[in-house]
Amino acid sequence: MRLGIAIMAAGKGTRLKSKRAKVLHEIGGKPLLRHVIAAAAQVVPTRDILAIVGHQAEAVESAVRDTGVRFAVQEKQRGTGHAMQCAEQETRGYEMLIVLSGDVPLLRPETIVALRDFHLRERAAMTILTAEAANPFGYGRVIRRTPGAPEVAAIVEQKALKPEMEGVREINSGIYAFRRKALYENIGQLRANNPQKEFYLTDMARLLADAGKRVVAIEAAQASEVLGANTIAEMMDLDRAMRMEQARRLMAAGVTIFRPETVTIDVGVEVGADTTIEPFVQLLGETTIGSDCRIRSWTVLENATVGDRVLVRQSCAISESRIEKGAVIGPFAHVRPGSHIGEDAHVGNFVETKKTRLGKGSKANHLTYLGDAEVGAGTNIGAGTITCNYDGVNKLTTVIGEGVFIGSDSALVAPVTIGDRAYVAAGSVITDDVPADALALGRSRQVNKLLWARNRRAQKEGRKSGSTK
Ligand code: UD1
Ligand code: CA
């Protein structure tokens, strides 16, 4: 039996009031559609997944193209039934189709498998995944042939509900299994006879049932996993649920997360055991954190790789960078893309790094900018040191060797190289390379004018007493 999975993702999402297509909106740090594809890919190979795109098709396709799914285009969005009509060619060769909604992102692969198995066991033409909803408002309701029976007579959309159906709490999840032949032999009979003038896939239930085909329903194990995201508020509810799930998974693996409801963790993030995450931390993108670390409050890590035993003090912004084991960062450090902070190195308060390698055990502890710099091991960068890496046109490199001492408030004008074990005197402007083991003084000499201050005071006093007489 060949199984294909079609994901309906062509809709605009009018209820979001957003310029961006609905399936591109993110929860857990990833577009809705990526979550649905990820679940489907646990059940079938990605080449057997078809995304039906339409509204902002190009943007949607490029957001998920790397997954390897195929695409069908629904030029005009004339309803979910019409979306499946547009998938007819692309789904040839499958005997069974599972249809998913691009805006139902919490669906678990286990539930897709349960739907598949139930559909096959029941030898059904159409199987509807349903849930018992606490608040069914807005969803299509599933009308069973007789209460408790697996057979379904129809799905009735919210707007078409008759008063006697108000009590039905079993909702249509928008997720189905079809015998493909039964779907496409009958789909032409769908009519857009509803207020939206759309072709509803939900009408296939009544259509097939009336044609004597078997239409059944299976309830999802957890109602929460079939919740749809039609408004920003609903989407943020799903985001919260997904992130809490992610936090629980990490805690189960030995990570301490204080006040997990305040922490924002994307679904791709990994954290090692015995690491502590303090309140209001954000761990985003493909961030990986080792064991025995502490990430203090208000820090945001994005696509960062952090080794073991790292301490990130409060309020740091760290992105697209690598931090080796034992390093200490912050508070208030800005570690920008392309930074590589070595083992046991320190990046202190109000220090900014960009495309910079800081060697093992090196320290830049206060008020410093290191951009396009290569710093060897065991080097001390004094407070207020600035690499002048930009000449207005090009970005230029500063190379600092091992065991170097850069005195406070020095400006290193790139391109420039400071040799191993060299000293740069405080307050220097370094424009020429400094040889290894040398001392560089790049400032004008100090001049002391003796008694200058006292004489000035005396002059002032003289003027004052002159004027009062
Ligand atoms: C749909 C169901 C409803 C169910 C609910 C569950 C219909 C008519 N109703 O309603 O019974 O309870 O899902 O979440 O199907 N789409 C297209 N092309 C279109 C229209 C929609 O690809 O022309 C896609 C959307 O991008 C979305 C999915 O189909 O991913 C569902 O569409 P949506 O408009 O959200 O349907 P609901 O009103 O939620
Ligand atoms: Ca929906």
mmCIF file of all heavy atoms in Angstrom, residues 346-362:
data_model
loop_
_atom_site.group_PDB
_atom_site.id
_atom_site.type_symbol
_atom_site.label_atom_id
_atom_site.label_comp_id
_atom_site.label_asym_id
_atom_site.label_seq_id
_atom_site.Cartn_x
_atom_site.Cartn_y
_atom_site.Cartn_z
ATOM 1 N N HIS A 346 37.848 34.850 29.255
ATOM 2 C CA HIS A 346 36.865 35.730 29.895
ATOM 3 C C HIS A 346 36.496 36.876 28.962
ATOM 4 O O HIS A 346 37.376 37.534 28.416
ATOM 5 C CB HIS A 346 37.433 36.344 31.185
ATOM 6 C CG HIS A 346 37.555 35.365 32.301
ATOM 7 N ND1 HIS A 346 37.702 35.755 33.609
ATOM 8 C CD2 HIS A 346 37.556 34.013 32.313
ATOM 9 C CE1 HIS A 346 37.790 34.685 34.386
ATOM 10 N NE2 HIS A 346 37.716 33.619 33.623
ATOM 11 N N VAL A 347 35.225 37.106 28.834
ATOM 12 C CA VAL A 347 34.722 38.273 28.101
ATOM 13 C C VAL A 347 33.836 39.002 29.091
ATOM 14 O O VAL A 347 32.771 38.504 29.453
ATOM 15 C CB VAL A 347 33.913 37.845 26.853
ATOM 16 C CG1 VAL A 347 33.275 39.053 26.188
ATOM 17 C CG2 VAL A 347 34.814 37.109 25.855
ATOM 18 N N GLY A 348 34.282 40.151 29.547
ATOM 19 C CA GLY A 348 33.599 40.780 30.686
ATOM 20 C C GLY A 348 32.540 41.782 30.307
ATOM 21 O O GLY A 348 31.990 41.760 29.207
ATOM 22 N N ASN A 349 32.260 42.674 31.261
ATOM 23 C CA ASN A 349 31.145 43.609 31.076
ATOM 24 C C ASN A 349 31.426 44.664 30.022
ATOM 25 O O ASN A 349 32.513 45.194 29.893
ATOM 26 C CB ASN A 349 30.713 44.287 32.371
ATOM 27 C CG ASN A 349 31.851 44.604 33.305
ATOM 28 O OD1 ASN A 349 31.716 44.568 34.506
ATOM 29 N ND2 ASN A 349 32.999 44.925 32.722
ATOM 30 N N PHE A 350 30.385 44.918 29.230
ATOM 31 C CA PHE A 350 30.434 45.908 28.148
ATOM 32 C C PHE A 350 31.579 45.613 27.185
ATOM 33 O O PHE A 350 32.282 46.520 26.747
ATOM 34 C CB PHE A 350 30.471 47.331 28.709
ATOM 35 C CG PHE A 350 29.349 47.557 29.678
ATOM 36 C CD1 PHE A 350 29.586 47.620 31.031
ATOM 37 C CD2 PHE A 350 28.040 47.620 29.222
ATOM 38 C CE1 PHE A 350 28.545 47.753 31.936
ATOM 39 C CE2 PHE A 350 26.995 47.754 30.109
ATOM 40 C CZ PHE A 350 27.232 47.826 31.464
ATOM 41 N N VAL A 351 31.753 44.355 26.884
ATOM 42 C CA VAL A 351 32.723 43.944 25.869
ATOM 43 C C VAL A 351 31.943 43.426 24.682
ATOM 44 O O VAL A 351 30.977 42.672 24.832
ATOM 45 C CB VAL A 351 33.675 42.865 26.423
ATOM 46 C CG1 VAL A 351 34.554 42.292 25.305
ATOM 47 C CG2 VAL A 351 34.540 43.452 27.533
ATOM 48 N N GLU A 352 32.347 43.867 23.474
ATOM 49 C CA GLU A 352 31.709 43.420 22.244
ATOM 50 C C GLU A 352 32.753 42.687 21.417
ATOM 51 O O GLU A 352 33.880 43.177 21.258
ATOM 52 C CB GLU A 352 31.180 44.640 21.479
ATOM 53 C CG GLU A 352 30.649 44.328 20.093
ATOM 54 C CD GLU A 352 30.172 45.582 19.357
ATOM 55 O OE1 GLU A 352 30.069 46.655 19.984
ATOM 56 O OE2 GLU A 352 29.925 45.469 18.153
ATOM 57 N N THR A 353 32.391 41.524 20.905
ATOM 58 C CA THR A 353 33.290 40.815 19.991
ATOM 59 C C THR A 353 32.540 40.550 18.701
ATOM 60 O O THR A 353 31.328 40.368 18.701
ATOM 61 C CB THR A 353 33.769 39.470 20.569
ATOM 62 O OG1 THR A 353 32.644 38.594 20.696
ATOM 63 C CG2 THR A 353 34.448 39.624 21.914
ATOM 64 N N LYS A 354 33.261 40.543 17.590
ATOM 65 C CA LYS A 354 32.671 40.195 16.290
ATOM 66 C C LYS A 354 33.742 39.549 15.443
ATOM 67 O O LYS A 354 34.840 40.092 15.348
ATOM 68 C CB LYS A 354 32.132 41.451 15.592
ATOM 69 C CG LYS A 354 31.387 41.151 14.318
ATOM 70 C CD LYS A 354 31.646 42.156 13.214
ATOM 71 C CE LYS A 354 32.962 41.914 12.531
ATOM 72 N NZ LYS A 354 33.251 42.795 11.411
ATOM 73 N N LYS A 355 33.448 38.414 14.819
ATOM 74 C CA LYS A 355 34.418 37.695 13.991
ATOM 75 C C LYS A 355 35.782 37.719 14.660
ATOM 76 O O LYS A 355 36.764 38.176 14.079
ATOM 77 C CB LYS A 355 34.537 38.367 12.619
ATOM 78 C CG LYS A 355 33.716 37.705 11.534
ATOM 79 C CD LYS A 355 34.238 38.128 10.180
ATOM 80 C CE LYS A 355 33.256 37.824 9.094
ATOM 81 N NZ LYS A 355 33.545 38.606 7.900
ATOM 82 N N THR A 356 35.810 37.265 15.878
ATOM 83 C CA THR A 356 37.036 37.355 16.664
ATOM 84 C C THR A 356 37.298 36.029 17.358
ATOM 85 O O THR A 356 36.374 35.390 17.851
ATOM 86 C CB THR A 356 36.891 38.492 17.700
ATOM 87 O OG1 THR A 356 37.095 39.735 17.031
ATOM 88 C CG2 THR A 356 37.898 38.358 18.842
ATOM 89 N N ARG A 357 38.565 35.634 17.343
ATOM 90 C CA ARG A 357 38.946 34.441 18.095
ATOM 91 C C ARG A 357 39.741 34.887 19.309
ATOM 92 O O ARG A 357 40.745 35.600 19.171
ATOM 93 C CB ARG A 357 39.793 33.507 17.226
ATOM 94 C CG ARG A 357 40.015 32.134 17.847
ATOM 95 C CD ARG A 357 40.815 31.263 16.909
ATOM 96 N NE ARG A 357 42.168 31.789 16.724
ATOM 97 C CZ ARG A 357 43.172 31.589 17.587
ATOM 98 N NH1 ARG A 357 42.982 30.890 18.684
ATOM 99 N NH2 ARG A 357 44.369 32.104 17.335
ATOM 100 N N LEU A 358 39.283 34.495 20.481
ATOM 101 C CA LEU A 358 39.990 34.833 21.710
ATOM 102 C C LEU A 358 40.600 33.529 22.226
ATOM 103 O O LEU A 358 39.882 32.567 22.478
ATOM 104 C CB LEU A 358 38.986 35.411 22.718
ATOM 105 C CG LEU A 358 39.529 36.090 23.969
ATOM 106 C CD1 LEU A 358 40.409 37.281 23.610
ATOM 107 C CD2 LEU A 358 38.389 36.553 24.870
ATOM 108 N N GLY A 359 41.937 33.515 22.344
ATOM 109 C CA GLY A 359 42.623 32.260 22.671
ATOM 110 C C GLY A 359 42.344 31.763 24.078
ATOM 111 O O GLY A 359 41.772 32.463 24.925
ATOM 112 N N LYS A 360 42.828 30.546 24.328
ATOM 113 C CA LYS A 360 42.629 29.882 25.610
ATOM 114 C C LYS A 360 43.126 30.756 26.768
ATOM 115 O O LYS A 360 44.258 31.255 26.731
ATOM 116 C CB LYS A 360 43.402 28.558 25.585
ATOM 117 C CG LYS A 360 43.250 27.730 26.835
ATOM 118 C CD LYS A 360 43.938 26.382 26.677
ATOM 119 C CE LYS A 360 43.881 25.656 28.010
ATOM 120 N NZ LYS A 360 44.510 24.338 27.947
ATOM 121 N N GLY A 361 42.286 30.950 27.754
ATOM 122 C CA GLY A 361 42.667 31.669 28.959
ATOM 123 C C GLY A 361 42.863 33.169 28.777
ATOM 124 O O GLY A 361 43.274 33.860 29.708
ATOM 125 N N SER A 362 42.589 33.692 27.597
ATOM 126 C CA SER A 362 42.760 35.136 27.388
ATOM 127 C C SER A 362 41.591 35.888 27.999
ATOM 128 O O SER A 362 40.506 35.348 28.178
ATOM 129 C CB SER A 362 42.874 35.452 25.901
ATOM 130 O OG SER A 362 44.124 34.992 25.443
#
